[in-house]
């Protein structure tokens, strides 16, 4: 038993090391996209913090979702946050499964490049919308009488840049249209819908997205319009961006030869193939027989013996 565990542990370690090497090479080519996406997450948080200074509490607007769904109450607001955290952590763990499992379909770095591209585009649209019109927040800490509903003018730029993390993120007001929670949830669900392999998990993901939508409204964290706009905006963003972004290589065959070439390697390969075509040679990669040059001619190994015999008879 101990021998079996040791053998499997050795295989797992080799798999992790091999995958780490592959992902590091991909990260070296795509670090700018990853870094840009992470920086924009801070910019998005900074924008949400900025609109909180503009927020003015007022009467809660009439909302059909508030009329249809019973209010959960402030003591049960954690339910939606718990479900969202579960979705977030589950997706992150799934994107790193190629380091552990033998069957893999994705590259972690390349998947996160796409995810961050979807998030940045959706959050950019979100920033435009919630700065265009500030609605009175329906959440409990955003209502009239709450000390957090209005922020005093900042004393310094440093106070704004810090965005009071994490309380400034969880207790923000004014950044309503459209829901940030639904942006992350829908991007994750759509990504797994395309690259995931378990049909039951795909169906569960959509069910959780619907349930989370109802919980957000029932918790009075957003108006119904914030959730509805998120549903069609994020789906449209992912639909159009997915057509523009390069497709991920499929790893279901189990080979690492599907690793995409860098721009330099791709250009070099293209020039080599064009050169062969101009000289009338085949560019079939399967044709890899060793050739030898004799008297200015390129001969195959099969013809090399005949060439040597001819040269000896003519000597």
């Amino acid at each position: 038993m101990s021998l079996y565990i040791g053998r499997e542990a050795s295989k797992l370690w080799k798999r992790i090391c091999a995958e780490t090497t592959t992902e590091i090479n991909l990260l070296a080519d795509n670090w700018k996209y990853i870094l840009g996406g992470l920086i924009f997450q801070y910019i998005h948080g900074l924008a949400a913090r900025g609109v909180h200074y503009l927020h003015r509490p007022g009467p809660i607007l009439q909302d059909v979702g508030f009329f249809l769904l019973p209010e959960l109450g402030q003591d049960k607001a954690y339910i939606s946050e718990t479900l969202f955290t579960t979705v977030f952590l589950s997706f992150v763990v799934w994107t790193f499964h190629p380091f552990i499992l033998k069957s893999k379909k994705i590259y972690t770095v390349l998947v996160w490049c796409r995810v961050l591209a979807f998030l940045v585009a959706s959050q950019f649209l979100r920033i435009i919308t919630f700065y265009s019109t500030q609605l009175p927040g329906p959440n409990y800490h955003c209502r009239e009488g709450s000390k957090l509903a209005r922020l005093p003018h900042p004393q310094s730029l440093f106070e704004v840049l810090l965005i009071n993390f994490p309380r400034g993120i969880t207790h923000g007001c004014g950044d309503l249209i459209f829901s940030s929670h639904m942006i992350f949830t829908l991007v994750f669900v759509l990504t797994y819908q395309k690259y995931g392999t378990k049909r039951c998990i795909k169906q569960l993901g959509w069910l959780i997205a619907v349930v989370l939508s109802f919980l957000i409204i029932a918790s009075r964290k957003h108006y119904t319009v914030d959730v509805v706009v998120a549903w069609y905006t994020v789906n449209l963003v992912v639909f159009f961006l997915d057509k523009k972004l390069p497709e991920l290589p499929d790893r279901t065959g189990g080979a690492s030869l599907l690793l995409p070439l860098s721009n330099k390697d791709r250009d070099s390969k293209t020039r080599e193939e064009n050169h062969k075509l101009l000289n009338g040679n085949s560019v079939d990669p399967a044709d890899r027989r060793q050739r030898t040059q004799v008297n200015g001619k390129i001969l195959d190994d099969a013809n090399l013996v005949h060439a040597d015999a001819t040269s000896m008879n003519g000597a």
Side-chain angles (χ1 to χ4, degrees):
M1 184 65 180
S2 59
L3 181 62
Y4 173 78
I5 295 176
R7 184 168 61 250
E8 292 301 316
S10 177
K11 292 180 180 179
L12 177 61
W13 175 248
K14 291 179 180 178
R15 193 178 306 136
I16 293 175
C17 292
E19 189 67 27
T20 300
T21 302
T22 301
E23 296 292 347
I24 288 176
N25 291 333
L26 286 172
L27 184 61
D29 291 334
N30 299 278
W31 67 269
K32 295 180 181 179
Y33 306 111
I34 299 291
L35 181 61
L38 294 176
I39 290 176
F40 196 85
Q41 299 309 301
Y42 169 75
I43 295 175
H44 175 252
L46 191 64
R49 177 68 172 178
V51 80
H52 195 165
Y53 290 103
L54 304 176
H55 178 255
R56 295 296 178 264
I60 298 178
L61 303 179
Q62 184 175 350
D63 189 282
V64 67
F66 293 176
F67 177 76
L68 295 176
L69 296 175
E71 188 171 349
L72 287 179
Q74 194 170 3
D75 58 328
K76 297 180 180 178
Y78 69 91
I79 298 178
S80 63
E81 291 299 326
T82 302
L83 183 59
F84 172 75
T85 303
T86 302
V87 171
F88 189 94
L89 294 179
S90 299
F91 181 81
V92 172
V93 170
W94 171 75
T95 59
F96 283 90
H97 81 271
F99 288 85
I100 305 297
L101 304 181
K102 291 180 63 176
S103 60
K104 55 195 72 176
K105 186 179 179 181
I106 62 169
Y107 292 99
T108 302
V109 170
L110 298 183
V111 161
W112 277 106
C113 284
R114 297 178 75 88
V115 168
L116 288 172
F118 298 151
L119 291 176
V120 167
S122 300
Q123 290 167 339
F124 178 76
L125 296 175
R126 180 175 188 260
I127 292 173
I128 294 176
T129 55
F130 67 62
Y131 267 102
S132 299
T133 303
Q134 290 88 44
L135 303 178
N139 210 335
Y140 302 101
H141 63 270
C142 299
R143 299 178 182 179
E144 292 181 300
S146 173
K147 296 180 180 179
L148 298 175
R150 302 181 65 171
L151 290 180
H153 291 289
Q155 301 298 321
S156 63
L157 180 62
F158 188 70
E159 179 182 344
V160 178
L161 295 177
L162 282 180
I163 66 177
N164 192 23
F165 185 84
R167 188 175 181 82
I169 302 297
T170 58
H171 289 76
C173 297
D175 57 327
L176 293 174
I177 303 176
F178 42 97
S179 172
S180 180
H181 285 64
M182 291 309 302
I183 290 178
F184 280 92
T185 301
L186 291 173
V187 167
F188 293 166
V189 171
L190 287 167
T191 302
Y192 188 84
Q193 177 70 30
K194 183 172 183 177
Y195 299 111
T197 56
K198 303 295 183 181
R199 183 181 179 183
C200 59
I201 297 181
K202 294 178 181 180
Q203 295 172 342
L204 179 62
W206 287 112
L207 177 62
I208 290 176
V210 173
V211 172
L212 184 60
S213 301
F214 291 140
L215 288 175
I216 289 174
I217 298 171
S219 301
R220 304 302 188 252
K221 295 178 180 179
H222 278 279
Y223 293 108
T224 305
V225 65
D226 307 334
V227 175
V228 172
V229 171
W231 268 92
Y232 66 74
T233 302
V234 175
N235 276 279
L236 287 173
V237 166
V238 172
F239 176 78
F240 286 108
L241 273 185
D242 189 61
K243 294 181 176 296
K244 298 295 183 181
L245 295 174
E247 188 52 76
L248 297 188
D250 192 355
R251 303 184 69 179
T252 52
S256 60
L257 297 176
L258 295 175
L259 188 66
L261 298 173
S262 63
N263 291 333
K264 181 179 179 181
D265 294 337
R266 190 181 298 110
D267 294 340
S268 176
K269 183 177 180 180
T270 302
R271 287 196 299 269
E272 181 182 353
E273 291 179 352
N274 289 338
H275 179 70
K276 289 182 179 180
L277 287 172
L278 289 174
N279 290 321
N281 295 329
S282 172
V283 295
D284 185 5
D287 188 12
R288 300 188 181 277
R289 293 171 296 175
Q290 185 176 358
R291 291 168 168 80
T292 307
Q293 185 171 359
V294 177
N295 294 332
K297 296 183 179 181
I298 305 299
L299 300 177
D300 295 341
D301 289 340
N303 299 326
L304 181 58
V305 177
H306 177 71
D308 289 342
T310 303
S311 61
M312 290 178 63
N313 292 333

